[in-house]
Amino acid sequence: MKVLMLNGSPNEHGCTYTALTEVGKALTECGVESEIIWLGNGPVRDCIGCRGCRGKGKCVFDDDIVNRVISAAEESDGFVFGTPVYFAHPSGRVLSVLDRAFFAGKAAFTHKPGAAVASARRGGTTATFDVMNKYFTISQMPVVSSTYWNMVHGSRPEDVLQDAEGLQTMHNIGRNMAWLIRCIRESGIPAPTAESGSMTNFIR
């Protein structure tokens, strides 16, 4: 069992990484492997809706980020997407990557549990959390919750490590993620087949 975690911060070992590391500790205690992919701090192309990915399972813009995420997602049982808060919103970097990854490789995520983590100095976390969760709910993914909103606070990693409730929340995400993955795997119940084909482009 493996959980893929994405660090959507331009700072490789900053507050977002610290939060994801705490989730990873709990996963390890529960016997679940985890991997953190840092999305880097270089330019990231947005999705342009070209639909060139249709039927390919990968983005036609091969920038060594999005397709690497899709490939890793195919081998993963669950996901934790972490982002800093910028103007009460996720980082543009994580949104660009997720837009392209979910459009091109949606099948790699469908029916697998997902959790979002927001890191902020002070405010904007709940708005950020809401945006991130929408990737899960449009892809038939069970959303993994915790004992508080999935967030940590602090300007520096050492500040995050003093956020006792935030750390507790991260640990409980990890435990709940491990439990849900195990429940899905051990039940042996196949995932439901979704209705498809209808795309309403207007409201009367």
Side-chain angles (χ1 to χ4, degrees):
M1 296 181 290
K2 183 176 180 179
V3 171
L4 174 65
M5 300 196 282
L6 301 183
N7 178 3
S9 171
N11 302 305
E12 185 173 6
H13 296 109
C15 296
T16 303
Y17 171 83
T18 303
L20 294 176
T21 299
E22 294 299 318
V23 177
K25 289 177 182 178
L27 288 168
T28 298
E29 291 173 359
C30 295
V32 177
E33 182 184 353
S34 64
E35 173 190 10
I36 297 176
I37 292 182
W38 179 47
L39 302 184
N41 53 19
V44 178
R45 180 189 287 268
D46 289 334
C47 178
I48 62 171
C50 69
R51 300 180 185 273
C53 60
R54 287 293 173 89
K56 296 183 176 68
K58 65 178 184 178
C59 182
V60 295
F61 300 118
D62 196 352
D63 53 16
D64 194 40
I65 298 176
V66 172
N67 289 331
R68 180 159 59 100
V69 168
I70 294 173
S71 179
E74 291 171 346
E75 305 300 320
S76 300
D77 300 291
F79 308 95
V80 182
F81 301 150
T83 179
V85 173
Y86 294 154
F87 291 93
H89 204 259
S91 72
R93 172 176 310 281
V94 76
L95 295 181
S96 292
V97 169
L98 292 181
D99 282 354
R100 289 169 55 201
F102 273 74
F103 198 78
K106 188 174 183 177
F109 300 93
T110 301
H111 293 130
K112 296 177 183 178
V117 169
S119 170
R121 182 190 69 82
R122 186 173 177 85
T125 47
T126 53
T128 298
F129 185 52
D130 175 64
V131 172
M132 297 292 285
N133 281 334
K134 287 182 170 66
Y135 289 97
F136 308 138
T137 57
I138 199 173
S139 303
Q140 304 179 79
M141 298 170 66
V143 178
V144 177
S145 58
S146 187
T147 44
Y148 195 72
W149 311 128
N150 299 357
M151 61 183 71
V152 295
H153 291 88
S155 297
R156 302 169 300 169
E158 48 266 41
D159 297 334
V160 171
L161 293 175
Q162 294 182 55
D163 179 5
E165 187 172 10
L167 297 182
Q168 175 180 276
T169 301
M170 297 303 107
H171 299 157
N172 288 332
I173 292 170
R175 294 186 184 103
N176 288 340
M177 174 70 75
W179 169 77
L180 187 52
I181 289 173
R182 188 165 286 111
C183 286
I184 292 171
R185 175 171 290 201
E186 293 180 3
S187 74
I189 300 172
T193 301
E195 293 184 18
S196 62
S198 296
M199 294 186 68
T200 303
N201 299 312
F202 58 88
I203 301 296
R204 289 186 182 271

